[in-house]
Amino acid sequence: KVLLMVLNQPSPSISKYYPWSPEFKAFVDDCLIKDPSKRISCSNILSKHKKFFDKAQGIEYIKEHFLSGIRPFKDRVP
């Protein structure tokens, strides 16, 4: 039942009420295309969304702000 709902419902979208950058919105929209034949390939997404990736803060920023509180994978999986 859930699989049918995923297939039949519109793609999810990010909140229009949060001030996401236009580059981020475009990137997410391309990633959420359901039909694989219409979805952008991984190799093309980097070039199409270069402006978005150019704004990236770097791996240290990601580690500090997003990954610091996550336990190692081996500790999360029985």
Side-chain angles (χ1 to χ4, degrees), residues 44-61:
N44 289 336
I45 205 160
L46 293 173
S47 59
K48 180 177 180 185
H49 295 286
K50 184 173 179 353
K51 286 183 181 180
F52 170 69
F53 288 107
D54 285 347
K55 291 182 175 183
Q57 297 287 329
I59 191 69
E60 292 307 317
Y61 180 87

Side-chain angles (χ1 to χ4, degrees), residues 7-60:
L7 292 172
N8 294 323
Q9 297 294 322
S11 294
S13 62
I14 59 175
S15 173
K16 63 182 178 183
Y17 302 107
Y18 190 82
W20 303 110
S21 71
E23 294 86 6
F24 180 70
K25 289 178 186 177
F27 172 72
V28 170
D29 285 345
D30 274 350
C31 291
L32 294 176
I33 295 172
K34 288 184 177 186
D35 185 346
S37 65
K38 295 178 181 176
R39 194 179 313 133
I40 191 168
S41 68
C42 291
S43 58
N44 289 336
I45 205 160
L46 293 173
S47 59
K48 180 177 180 185
H49 295 286
K50 184 173 179 353
K51 286 183 181 180
F52 170 69
F53 288 107
D54 285 347
K55 291 182 175 183
Q57 297 287 329
I59 191 69
E60 292 307 317

